[in-house]
Amino acid sequence: MNFDILNDKEYIEIVSDILNSDNFKKLKYIKHHSSNRYSHLIRVSYASYRLALKEDLDYKSVARGALLHDYFFTDNTKLDREGRLHVLFNHPLHALYNAKKEFKLNKIEEDIIISHMYPVNISWKPKYKESKLVDKVDNIISILEFSNYTKRKLKNFLFSFIYNRV
């Protein structure tokens, strides 16, 4: 995705309070798939926003809700399997709690955050078209990020294997 996010004045205006939050900036230092949680959230938010504009959906709620869907501070890479599974299933609750503490959310934004792991977590089924859109975009971007991470790990392993054999 090669969008020029910084030159999209309307998008930046919609989410500037979130992007300028000191807590949100802390997400730059938490690993998420192939990069960090901050970058992941921006990718999901902006792609969802652009699609919501085309689909005539509430693009403001989409941009904001998507930007906060993983607004939690646990580093899953430092947890054991049981801890990672707990975070996988429950992080929408933590993200919603953190987002509500810091930002004023509407019902669509709340639903985007709490339901973005559907159907992995069947407890929170998306209620709005906007929530379903963000859930799908998040899934696609997460798969791309994870496949980049896996490809890089495999490449490093193969180079190391070959180098150590020569």
Side-chain angles (χ1 to χ4, degrees), residues 13-148:
E13 186 177 312
I14 292 167
V15 299
S16 64
D17 62 321
I18 300 170
L19 293 176
N20 291 322
S21 159
D22 289 337
N23 284 330
F24 190 80
K25 290 175 186 176
K26 291 176 185 174
L27 297 173
K28 292 177 182 179
Y29 306 103
I30 299 177
K31 189 171 175 9
H32 193 89
H33 302 308
S34 62
S35 63
N36 61 61
R37 195 164 296 146
Y38 177 90
S39 298
H40 168 76
L41 289 169
I42 291 174
R43 279 192 285 275
V44 172
S45 174
Y46 194 68
S48 298
Y49 160 81
R50 294 287 301 255
L51 287 168
L53 279 169
K54 290 183 183 210
E55 297 295 319
D56 199 29
L57 298 174
D58 182 350
Y59 61 90
K60 292 179 181 179
S61 293
V62 164
R64 294 179 64 79
L67 197 55
L68 295 167
H69 80 272
D70 281 339
Y71 191 50
F72 68 103
F73 304 98
T74 306
D75 184 349
N76 344 355
T77 63
K78 296 180 179 170
L79 300 172
D80 63 10
R81 178 174 161 71
E82 189 175 305
R84 283 193 304 267
L85 287 174
H86 174 76
V87 170
L88 174 69
F89 288 104
N90 293 303
H91 78 268
L93 283 172
H94 299 291
L96 181 60
Y97 174 79
N98 292 332
K100 287 174 89 170
K101 272 194 333 190
E102 195 168 347
F103 307 102
K104 184 172 174 29
L105 304 176
N106 65 36
K107 293 296 178 194
I108 294 174
E109 293 163 354
E110 288 181 10
D111 192 62
I112 288 169
I113 295 167
I114 198 70
S115 67
H116 80 274
M117 288 300 292
Y118 186 82
V120 171
N121 190 331
I122 60 172
S123 299
W124 302 297
K125 186 175 181 178
K127 297 177 188 171
Y128 305 99
K129 289 180 182 179
E130 291 83 355
S131 306
K132 292 174 186 174
L133 172 76
V134 172
D135 184 40
K136 288 179 178 134
V137 170
D138 180 42
N139 289 339
I140 291 166
I141 289 176
S142 293
I143 289 168
L144 292 172
E145 290 171 345
F146 189 74
S147 65
N148 285 338

Side-chain angles (χ1 to χ4, degrees), residues 152-164:
R152 196 169 57 243
K153 289 290 235 186
L154 180 59
K155 182 179 166 185
N156 290 341
F157 170 78
L158 289 173
F159 282 138
S160 174
F161 180 78
I162 292 167
Y163 178 78
N164 290 328

